[in-house]
Amino acid sequence: MGALDDAISILGCFSFEEPTFTQADIARQIDRPKATVHRALKSLRESGLVDYEPNSRVYSPGLRLYELGQVFRSQNQFLDLIVKQLQQVCDRVGYTGYITVFDGYDLTILQVIRGKNPLAITRIPAYKTIAYSTSNGRAMLSMLSEEEWKKRIPDPMPYISPRTPSNHEELSQALEKIRQTGRSFATEESLAGIASVGIAIRDPDTTEIFGAAISFPANLVTEQERETIAELMDKMKSNLAGIKGIFE
């Protein structure tokens, strides 16, 4: 067991029912030598993750954990708002919606919202896809500076499809177009026969970027229907962009 494992085990001891422990209590609970627990607690105290009360000689969760909890709470408040907004779009158009975050070179799906259309194609939460091959991924990349987005794109870029940017120059042009038009589309790139309209939204408190997309059968949706989906996604982004006051 490494130092990180020891720290995780120690933090896992605390609960609402048992918010404080002595060093000896922790050593018994996680079945580790007292010297090992002492070193881990020293590091956790120095980082603010646990507090120590010298009179009673007990440890408790520290202020830094509270701060991290507030970050998580704020992030999930905003995520809840994204879910509600995207649900409305899915109900309106009948197709599947996705919410994503960056994960290295990839995107990870946080949430999937099924539409009522029987042709909807659903990928499960935690599924990963290459960021620059999706409409929402490119929308997210367009919110970054050139230096930042290049850190999220391999060089050379793996081949995805004939429609997907194949190098940094092509991707740079695609991202600039998204910035100028506010629209991000993908057609038969990460999935054959599937198109999508995507947007990106930055959490006003944590600054994390979320992506959202509606996917639909490429050959069964008319240009007018595609434009309607794009307009609904534009409205969703506009609604979320004005949400900062909720958290102040």
Side-chain angles (χ1 to χ4, degrees):
M1 182 178 286
L4 179 59
D5 295 314
D6 290 330
I8 291 172
S9 295
I10 290 171
L11 293 175
C13 293
F14 300 107
S15 67
F16 284 110
E17 292 76 20
E18 296 183 277
T20 62
F21 288 94
T22 66
Q23 179 178 302
D25 290 337
I26 293 172
R28 283 194 296 270
Q29 185 147 331
I30 68 173
D31 193 25
R32 298 289 288 155
K34 290 183 180 179
T36 299
V37 171
H38 176 77
R39 287 193 298 271
L41 284 169
K42 182 175 183 294
S43 296
L44 289 170
R45 285 178 62 189
E46 290 172 350
S47 64
L49 293 172
V50 299
D51 286 335
Y52 178 66
E53 210 295 304
N55 291 328
S56 58
R57 298 184 178 181
V58 297
Y59 293 85
S60 60
L63 179 61
R64 183 57 182 153
L65 281 179
Y66 173 79
E67 292 171 345
L68 292 172
Q70 290 300 101
V71 171
F72 177 81
R73 181 174 179 270
S74 173
Q75 180 187 58
N76 280 270
Q77 280 183 324
F78 194 68
L79 178 58
D80 287 344
L81 291 170
I82 297 173
V83 170
K84 290 176 182 177
Q85 290 282 326
L86 190 59
Q87 181 71 65
Q88 292 176 14
V89 178
C90 292
D91 290 344
R92 175 81 176 271
V93 301
Y95 297 112
T96 303
Y98 300 92
I99 299 172
T100 56
V101 291
F102 283 125
D103 185 2
Y105 291 149
D106 299 326
L107 300 180
T108 293
I109 295 176
L110 290 181
Q111 191 139 353
V112 178
I113 300 174
R114 279 296 299 254
K116 60 186 177 182
N117 191 297
L119 295 176
I121 295 179
T122 301
R123 283 174 163 171
I124 62 173
Y127 181 90
K128 297 181 187 295
T129 187
I130 296 177
Y132 66 87
S133 69
T134 67
S135 61
N136 47 312
R138 289 197 288 268
M140 294 167 70
L141 291 169
S142 74
M143 299 187 73
L144 303 176
S145 67
E146 181 175 0
E147 180 181 1
E148 290 173 326
W149 70 250
K150 282 186 174 179
K151 293 178 181 178
R152 296 194 172 278
I153 304 298
D155 190 15
M157 291 162 56
Y159 176 82
I160 303 297
S161 81
R163 299 173 184 268
T164 307
S166 60
N167 54 56
H168 281 200
E169 183 178 355
E170 290 181 4
L171 179 58
S172 180
Q173 293 173 358
L175 298 182
E176 183 58 32
K177 184 176 180 180
I178 293 169
R179 295 186 190 104
Q180 292 176 357
T181 64
R183 298 284 181 84
S184 183
F185 298 94
T187 302
E188 296 191 289
E189 295 187 38
S190 58
L191 277 177
I194 299 300
S196 67
V197 177
I199 61 172
I201 318 100
R202 190 185 293 273
D203 186 318
D205 288 322
T206 68
T207 73
E208 182 171 12
I209 296 174
F210 292 89
I214 297 289
S215 65
F216 45 86
N219 296 327
L220 298 180
V221 172
T222 67
E223 284 300 318
Q224 182 55 52
E225 289 175 315
R226 189 180 301 233
E227 177 64 20
T228 296
I229 294 172
E231 290 175 355
L232 290 170
M233 296 298 279
D234 289 344
K235 183 178 180 181
M236 172 181 165
K237 183 173 181 178
S238 178
N239 290 342
L240 290 166
I243 215 72
K244 182 174 176 57
I246 290 179
F247 301 104
E248 294 179 338

